[in-house]
């Protein structure tokens, strides 16, 4: 998984958490406004269903098709610009750059450096949280080892300990436990109520879900929703246990309320509250304790039909699904990998005699044009300009029997701009749509002098360029060699072929026989984009 995909997954997880929390909060406020209640147990199941859906959608998000629902917040580029492309020596396999929104516009950040920072922070959080969790698990095991097993109920062990002052329950793989303080055993009635409460935590699965909350708090440490939601669910878990015991007449409400207050008083001075355990009075704030007692003694709220909870679940699932689907567009990787380029090449090769070769050199130039902001801007502008000349050039291509891919030559030569004479890399002056130098232009019948420069006549220069390309192809019997000869001259191409004893244009290029750097890879990249115009949209 690339850094961009991991970042998209992380943002999607946080978005779903925020959307789901907001939806559940609105539903809870609506119930309070109407003075009705879903019931703590159905409400807890609703929260667990939503969390399960978030996990499921997070896992399948990479498998969903990409869809650009809105402008991406972050874009991943091959380089900061087309000018810095070669200096950065960026390919699709390397770091890339992230374009991040800032108050002053967009800011480019090296993805590998950002990944290192994130990985370092993540590792520190993981180590810190792991040590924290490990410490608590170790403490729980020490408590268990120093305690006495007084009862076994199926796979649950009931411990009595002199070390703890408040009861709690926890789950480890293959072991579910309830720990009771020794001082509680003497009060038989209270002990039975507390044990029933802790066993209910196991039945509801609370002792397993606590690990999920711990993991979410660790991963989404900067997301306040996670911390608020974790606390909210902890409260609902306690309400659900209370409600179940009273509704099923396992406890008497007033005696249970008294027991809760007495245990809460003992919990005030209790310092050890393991992150992987649930307990009757871990949450001992006065307001919460008051609400728990009021709820178990006063059932004035009207219960709504459980079907409304199902409808809310489905609505939230639909919203989360839409969020997951849309979030794939939050981060857009503008780079092209070899597999994606091969699809473009297969499409470009259909119905043409022009050989479309895909290799590392072509892929690199493809990412110069597609994977940099300036490259995409240049390519879009060139293709827009091409529309002014496309019909006339296409007619001439048909006239000489040349492939339509020749339309890509002016893209890399001039960007389809009829440029006046300018200095080239070797102080050779070129001009026009096809960037003829004076000597070549004159060889193909164009007048170039102080009075007139027919290189700037699009019709005449197009006819000359196509005759030149056709002559090269007739000579070398290869369009790649013909394109090289158009750029560096026929003699230079022939010298390279003789020196290397090869007719392969790519062998010549890799051994330094080329005019403008990467001319042929740029041409093939332009052909790929020409046949796949959506790639630069």
């Amino acid at each position: 998984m690339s850094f961009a995909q991991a970042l998209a997954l992380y943002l999607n997880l946080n978005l779903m958490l925020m959307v789901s929390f907001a939806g559940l909060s609105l539903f809870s406020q609506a119930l309070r406004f109407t003075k009705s209640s879903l019931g703590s147990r159905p409400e807890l199941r609703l929260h667990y269903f939503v969390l399960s859906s978030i996990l499921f959608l997070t896992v399948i998000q990479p498998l969903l098709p990409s869809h650009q629902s809105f402008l991406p917040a972050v874009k991943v580029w091959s380089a900061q610009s087309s000018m810095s492309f070669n200096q950065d020596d960026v390919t699709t396999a390397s770091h890339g750059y992230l374009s991040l929104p800032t108050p002053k516009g967009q800011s480019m950040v090296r993805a590998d450096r950002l990944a290192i920072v994130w990985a370092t922070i993540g590792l520190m959080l993981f180590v810190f949280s792991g040590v924290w969790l490990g410490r608590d698990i170790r403490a729980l095991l020490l408590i268990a080892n120093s305690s006495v097993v007084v009862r076994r109920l199926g796979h649950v062990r009931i411990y009595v300990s002199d070390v703890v002052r408040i009861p709690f329950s926890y789950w480890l793989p293959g072991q579910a436990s309830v720990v009771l303080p020794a001082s509680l055993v003497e009060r038989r009635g209270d002990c039975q109520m507390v044990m029933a409460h802790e066993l209910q935590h196991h039945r509801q699965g609370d002792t397993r879900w606590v690990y999920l909350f711990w993991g979410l708090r660790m991963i989404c440490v900067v997301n306040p929703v996670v911390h608020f939601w974790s606390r909210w669910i902890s409260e609902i878990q306690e309400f659900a246990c209370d409600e179940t015991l009273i509704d099923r007449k396992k406890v008497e409400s007033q005696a249970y309320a008294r027991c809760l207050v007495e245990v809460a008083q003992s919990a005030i001075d209790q310092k050890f509250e393991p992150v992987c355990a649930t307990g009757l009075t871990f949450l001992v704030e006065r307001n919460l304790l008051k609400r728990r007692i009021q709820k178990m003694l006063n059932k004035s709220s009207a219960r709504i039909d459980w079907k409304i909870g199902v409808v809310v679940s489905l609505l939230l699932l639909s919203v989360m699904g839409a969020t997951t689907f849309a979030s794939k567009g939050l981060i857009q990787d503008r780079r092209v990998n070899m597999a994606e380029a091969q699809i473009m090449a297969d499409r470009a090769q259909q119905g043409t005699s022009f050989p479309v070769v895909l290799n590392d050199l072509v892929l690199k130039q493809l990412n110069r044009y597609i994977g940099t902001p300036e490259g995409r801007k240049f390519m879009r502008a060139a293709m827009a300009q091409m529309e002014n000349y496309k019909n006339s050039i296409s007619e001439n291509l048909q006239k000489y029997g040349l492939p339509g891919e020749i339309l890509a030559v002016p893209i890399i030569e001039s960007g389809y701009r009829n440029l006046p004479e300018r200095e080239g890399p070797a102080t050779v002056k070129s001009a026009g749509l096809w960037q003829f130098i004076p000597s070549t232009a004159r060889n193909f019948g164009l007048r170039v002098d102080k009075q007139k420069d027919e290189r700037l006549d699009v019709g005449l220069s197009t006819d000359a360029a196509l005759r030149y390309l056709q002559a090269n192809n007739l000579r070398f019997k290869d369009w790649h060699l013909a394109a090289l000869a158009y750029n560096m001259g026929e003699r230079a191409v022939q010298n390279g072929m003789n020196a290397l004893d090869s007719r392969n244009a790519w062998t010549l290029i890799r051994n330094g026989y080329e005019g403008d750097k990467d001319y042929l890879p740029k041409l093939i990249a332009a052909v790929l984009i020409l046949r796949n115009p959506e790639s630069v949209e």
Side-chain angles (χ1 to χ4, degrees), residues 404-433:
E405 286 68 25
I406 300 301
L407 281 166
V409 174
I411 291 179
I412 62 170
E413 288 286 353
S414 64
Y416 268 97
R417 294 170 297 165
N418 199 19
L419 298 173
E421 193 171 67
R422 60 188 176 88
E423 296 287 341
T427 68
V428 177
K429 298 177 180 179
S430 57
L433 206 69

Side-chain angles (χ1 to χ4, degrees), residues 147-163:
S147 304
V148 178
V149 179
V150 295
R151 194 172 179 183
R152 294 176 185 269
L153 297 173
H155 67 287
V156 182
R157 296 179 182 181
I158 312 296
Y159 291 91
V160 173
S161 173
D162 293 323
V163 179

Side-chain angles (χ1 to χ4, degrees), residues 361-532:
L361 299 177
V362 174
L363 181 62
K364 183 175 180 179
Q365 296 310 312
L366 193 60
N367 274 289
R368 173 196 290 274
Y369 291 131
I370 294 179
T372 65
E374 291 180 357
R376 295 176 76 89
K377 183 179 179 181
F378 165 80
M379 191 56 68
R380 287 197 296 266
M383 292 175 70
Q385 282 287 108
M386 182 183 70
E387 295 301 316
N388 298 323
Y389 309 103
K390 186 176 180 179
N391 291 337
S392 61
I393 294 177
S394 296
E395 289 177 3
N396 279 281
L397 289 173
Q398 292 179 358
K399 171 184 173 182
Y400 289 108
L402 303 182
E405 286 68 25
I406 300 301
L407 281 166
V409 174
I411 291 179
I412 62 170
E413 288 286 353
S414 64
Y416 268 97
R417 294 170 297 165
N418 199 19
L419 298 173
E421 193 171 67
R422 60 188 176 88
E423 296 287 341
T427 68
V428 177
K429 298 177 180 179
S430 57
L433 206 69
W434 298 85
Q435 288 294 283
F436 270 118
I437 61 173
S439 58
T440 306
R442 293 188 185 102
N443 288 340
F444 283 86
L446 298 180
R447 179 181 173 183
V448 181
D449 53 39
K450 292 182 180 180
Q451 285 74 38
K452 192 170 186 178
D453 189 348
E454 290 184 339
R455 292 177 298 176
L456 300 179
D457 186 312
V458 174
L460 294 176
S461 64
T462 296
D463 185 78
L466 298 187
R467 285 187 286 115
Y468 185 22
L469 285 163
Q470 186 182 50
N472 288 341
N473 188 51
L474 290 172
R475 175 175 178 173
F476 295 110
K477 304 294 190 294
D478 184 280
W479 274 115
H480 292 170
L481 291 172
L484 272 184
Y486 182 88
N487 178 246
M488 63 188 292
E490 312 93 299
R491 183 175 298 177
V493 171
Q494 190 62 57
N495 290 340
M497 292 168 57
N498 295 338
L500 299 173
D501 191 24
S502 174
R503 288 183 47 79
N504 189 300
W506 301 100
T507 301
L508 268 63
I509 291 172
R510 294 183 190 276
N511 285 275
Y513 287 92
E514 60 179 342
D516 294 338
K517 179 67 175 173
D518 294 321
Y519 182 85
L520 183 58
K522 289 178 183 177
L523 177 62
I524 302 299
V527 168
L528 290 175
I529 295 171
L530 196 63
R531 296 305 184 197
N532 299 271

Side-chain angles (χ1 to χ4, degrees), residues 48 55 155-156 169-177 199-215 237 275-278:
Y48 284 168
L55 292 178
H155 67 287
V156 182
S169 53
Y170 67 91
W171 176 88
L172 295 174
Q175 179 182 343
S177 304
L199 289 172
Q200 184 60 29
H201 275 305
H202 283 301
R203 292 190 189 95
Q204 292 175 175
D206 300 341
T207 50
R208 290 178 174 84
W209 279 95
V210 72
Y211 290 101
L212 173 65
F213 305 141
W214 169 81
Q237 287 173 345
V275 295
C276 56
T278 57

Side-chain angles (χ1 to χ4, degrees), residues 243-272:
E243 182 179 272
T244 301
L245 297 181
I246 293 173
D247 286 353
R248 294 179 181 177
K249 303 187 184 305
K250 292 188 176 183
V251 297
E252 195 275 320
S253 57
Q254 291 186 349
Y256 185 64
R258 176 192 51 77
C259 175
L260 184 62
V261 173
E262 291 178 357
V263 176
Q265 288 175 341
S266 300
I268 293 175
D269 299 326
Q270 175 72 32
K271 296 181 179 179
F272 179 63

